[in-house]
Amino acid sequence: MKKRNTAQLLGIFSIVILILVQIFIIRGVWKQKDEMFNLRYRMLSQEALTAMSRRWNTDGFDTARYILSEFSRQIVREVAAISNDSVLNEKKKDILEFVTDVLNEEQFLSYFLSGYFERQGFEKDFNHKIIVNYFELIDFDTRIPIYVSEEYASRRPLRTARPESGQVQGPGSGPGSGAPPPGMGRRQTSEILVRDDRSEDNNYRLDFEYYIDFSDKQKVILKETSASLVLSILSILVVATLFLITYRNLMEEKRLSDLKTDFINNMTHELKTPLSTITVAGRTLEMEKIRSDDSKILETAKLIGKQSVHLNQLINMILEISMWERTQFELDKRKIPVEELMNDIVGSFKTGSGSSVSLMEKYHLEGVKADLDIVYFTTLINNLLSNAVKYSDKDPVIEIEGFKENNSIMIRVADNGIGISKNDQKHVFDKFYRASSGNVHKYKGLGLGLYYVKRIAEAHGGDVSVASKPGKGSIFTVTIPYE
Ligand code: ADP
């Protein structure tokens, strides 16, 4: 049991390790593909921006900048006049919202990118996102910061000097435009930064970022990683299957070795009993008192004879088993009227068993003849009958039935014995199997009787099955074809 648990635990442990390693690898591959995806679109976007500025001399935000400049010029005085803090804050919020809306709606970068991606044969559907980092209203020497994002404040101390009048920075020419600064907290990892823009004129100063995000990205990456994913799952499945097969083989070998150990113990026990009886009988014969009594001599001689026959039977059984292992059954089959043969076998069994055993026979065989080997068939029926008597804790009542069904004869032996549990029913026909295995057994035996029954039935082209309820009894059914 301990060995079984250790093997099981070790197997499960290695499979878990394998799964973890595979997850680790897949995550690595996924991350790599994700980065490649982002890099691909980042490069494409830069190409698109260059193409756009070369062809139209714009970055797509000119209209937005014009509207914002006009808006700022008109509103700056109004904002400067607000003295109440909460009113001012509300106003700033509205202004930021307006700025964001204008940037989102009055740009055609998204349209251009989409067309550019499509022409290059890439995914054209994406969502854009604009994050305003800084917005300031300017009126001569007055500067009114409307919004400063945390990131912006931390990465760049606010400039206080007023720019020279009339200085308007062209698209993409603002300081620091280009690659995103590291550690942009607000953006999602799936978003790709396309443009980081700073624009400034006499009326406003603005800093914003333009991102794109593909909703189909996961699907695209999944498609790209599917080969590694399938390989990983396959390797896990193969290892798990190999483990299961090895484990089952190991357990089967262990079961067989346990069965063999039990068999040797039982066999030793079975051989010892007649041997010790013979030894005691021999010693008895040496005694003067016995030798003078003819009847005692005869009785002891009979006892020795009977035990020798039993010993002989046991040894033959073992020899036969090893012969069966090496060669096929050789049956001496003849056309035999089954009912007559059954009457003979059961009749002799009745004579040999005590009066406490009741045997009832019921045949509907109508003189059917089947190809049978009388000796083996007799052994088969005898084994079933003697088990029915042996595995009983009360006076045995045995019903023997014989009938025809689908060109087969069916012989059914039902008893009122101790019965067999569901799990044992699966194994009772196995070689050496005993329902309660171990050295100590209430009922003596070697676990070969039913193995014989099955082998003999199969050698006749038939089979045997069992139905049983523990405590109620068992029914063994032998099927043998007769045509
Ligand atoms: P053995 O009787 O030598 O143990 P068998 O191969 O004849 O070996 O039977 C295998 C096992 O099946 C037995 O150990 C017993 O537990 C169970 N068995 C067989 N026949 C019966 C029966 N009629 N009633 C209950 N248990 C049975």
Side-chain angles (χ1 to χ4, degrees):
M1 200 60 180
K2 209 171 154 200
K3 200 169 159 189
R4 179 189 183 138
N5 284 344
T6 322
Q8 224 167 4
L9 278 178
L10 265 177
I12 292 168
F13 181 69
S14 11
I15 290 178
V16 168
I17 295 275
L18 178 78
I19 292 175
L20 287 179
V21 169
Q22 298 291 344
I23 290 176
F24 184 75
I25 293 173
I26 290 287
R27 273 189 56 178
V29 173
W30 187 278
K31 229 172 116 185
Q32 203 185 358
K33 293 277 178 200
D34 188 273
E35 273 163 18
M36 274 169 63
F37 183 96
N38 287 358
L39 187 70
R40 190 188 307 146
Y41 281 95
R42 201 170 295 142
M43 282 168 66
L44 273 174
S45 308
Q46 293 317 310
E47 278 173 26
L49 275 172
T50 316
M52 187 158 70
S53 98
R54 200 175 296 146
R55 204 180 311 162
W56 289 316
N57 194 28
T58 177
D59 67 346
F61 285 95
D62 289 346
T63 317
R65 279 194 201 91
Y66 175 76
I67 295 173
L68 289 180
S69 180
E70 281 302 300
F71 168 73
S72 305
R73 191 172 57 77
Q74 285 165 21
I75 205 161
V76 65
R77 287 273 146 240
E78 188 190 322
V79 176
I82 300 174
S83 54
N84 183 315
D85 272 357
S86 66
V87 176
L88 183 64
N89 282 341
E90 274 306 307
K91 190 75 190 168
K92 283 182 175 180
K93 234 194 252 169
D94 289 348
I95 293 173
L96 178 66
E97 214 170 283
F98 178 79
V99 171
T100 315
D101 284 351
V102 168
L103 286 172
N104 268 308
E105 278 152 34
E106 302 300 332
Q107 51 88 15
F108 67 93
L109 178 57
S110 300
Y111 172 78
F112 188 82
L113 282 180
S114 182
Y116 190 83
F117 292 162
E118 193 178 12
R119 279 197 298 282
Q120 304 287 326
F122 289 97
E123 187 61 43
K124 70 174 173 55
D125 295 322
F126 59 81
N127 296 317
H128 76 262
K129 179 172 178 179
I130 287 174
I131 296 176
V132 175
N133 281 320
Y134 186 80
F135 187 68
E136 179 183 84
L137 296 173
I138 302 171
D139 182 34
F140 298 107
D141 51 356
T142 320
R143 285 175 171 275
I144 310 169
I146 299 298
Y147 176 72
V148 187
S149 75
E150 266 174 45
E151 289 88 354
Y152 187 84
S154 64
R155 86 185 129 103
R156 163 186 307 268
L158 290 181
R159 260 199 282 161
T160 45
R162 187 180 180 283
E164 276 172 38
S165 66
Q167 183 188 347
V168 181
Q169 305 215 328
S173 62
S177 63
M184 290 298 299
R186 257 188 313 165
R187 85 176 181 91
Q188 314 276 307
T189 43
S190 61
E191 288 162 357
I192 302 162
L193 178 71
V194 174
R195 182 135 183 74
D196 177 10
D197 185 84
R198 285 180 196 102
S199 339
E200 192 167 343
D201 72 3
N202 288 336
N203 305 314
Y204 77 103
R205 190 147 73 89
L206 168 70
D207 183 307
F208 72 89
E209 285 160 358
Y210 172 92
Y211 292 95
I212 54 173
D213 184 10
F214 291 83
S215 52
D216 270 358
K217 182 174 169 183
Q218 309 286 345
K219 241 192 259 167
V220 173
I221 297 178
L222 188 69
K223 222 159 96 189
E224 287 176 4
T225 38
S226 59
S228 349
L229 209 73
V230 167
L231 272 179
S232 282
I233 292 172
L234 261 179
S235 68
I236 292 173
L237 281 180
V238 166
V239 171
T241 319
L242 283 180
F243 164 71
L244 260 177
I245 294 173
T246 318
Y247 179 73
R248 282 179 69 168
N249 284 348
L250 189 83
M251 285 305 116
E252 182 60 18
E253 259 170 40
K254 192 178 169 310
R255 196 180 71 84
L256 286 178
S257 112
D258 286 352
L259 277 180
K260 274 192 182 141
T261 315
D262 284 353
F263 170 73
I264 290 168
N265 288 334
N266 290 328
M267 192 71 210
T268 317
H269 182 76
E270 290 278 309
L271 288 174
K272 259 186 172 171
T273 318
L275 257 182
S276 50
T277 315
I278 291 171
T279 315
V280 172
R283 289 220 191 95
T284 314
L285 280 178
E286 281 171 17
M287 289 158 71
E288 277 259 2
K289 207 168 70 187
I290 302 293
R291 266 185 284 157
S292 56
D293 187 340
D294 274 355
S295 67
K296 284 260 163 68
I297 293 179
L298 189 65
E299 199 181 311
T300 317
K302 270 189 187 165
L303 186 68
I304 292 175
K306 200 173 152 197
Q307 293 302 331
S308 313
V309 169
H310 183 46
L311 253 182
N312 204 28
Q313 274 173 348
L314 283 172
I315 291 165
N316 276 347
M317 205 199 274
I318 299 165
L319 288 179
E320 240 171 82
I321 283 266
S322 55
M323 206 178 74
W324 284 3
E325 293 296 290
R326 274 176 276 121
T327 53
Q328 272 300 98
F329 255 102
E330 278 198 26
L331 297 185
D332 180 15
K333 282 196 210 167
R334 282 159 212 212
K335 282 246 176 283
I336 310 277
V338 183
E339 191 166 334
E340 273 174 40
L341 181 60
M342 283 302 292
N343 278 326
D344 284 353
I345 300 169
V346 178
S348 327
F349 188 82
K350 231 183 231 171
T351 323
S353 57
S355 58
S356 62
V357 180
S358 346
L359 285 158
M360 284 170 281
E361 292 171 83
K362 215 191 304 172
Y363 300 114
H364 302 282
L365 290 166
E366 291 133 20
V368 163
K369 287 187 178 178
D371 288 324
L372 298 176
D373 179 311
I374 299 184
V375 179
Y376 280 117
F377 187 76
T378 309
T379 309
L380 182 158
I381 301 295
N382 271 330
N383 282 358
L384 290 180
L385 293 177
S386 52
N387 274 353
V389 175
K390 185 159 71 167
Y391 296 104
S392 176
D393 46 7
K394 43 187 171 281
D395 284 351
V397 177
I398 305 165
E399 286 175 31
I400 303 133
E401 245 185 288
F403 54 93
K404 295 189 291 181
E405 201 176 278
N406 304 333
N407 292 339
S408 289
I409 49 158
M410 315 280 277
I411 307 290
R412 192 169 278 171
V413 178
D415 63 51
N416 62 339
I418 58 170
I420 307 166
S421 73
K422 266 259 159 312
N423 188 46
D424 285 331
Q425 285 175 35
K426 284 186 237 156
H427 301 292
V428 282
F429 299 107
D430 293 354
K431 191 164 62 168
F432 304 142
Y433 190 84
R434 310 210 66 217
S436 92
S437 55
N439 307 346
V440 189
H441 204 288
K442 194 173 153 195
Y443 308 94
K444 282 206 253 164
L446 296 172
L448 289 172
L450 289 182
Y451 171 69
Y452 267 41
V453 169
K454 180 137 179 112
R455 291 288 308 259
I456 295 169
E458 283 173 352
H460 281 89
D463 206 355
V464 57
S465 64
V466 62
S468 178
K469 247 193 186 156
K472 290 264 182 313
S474 314
I475 303 171
F476 287 89
T477 310
V478 179
T479 318
I480 290 177
Y482 65 88
E483 269 184 7

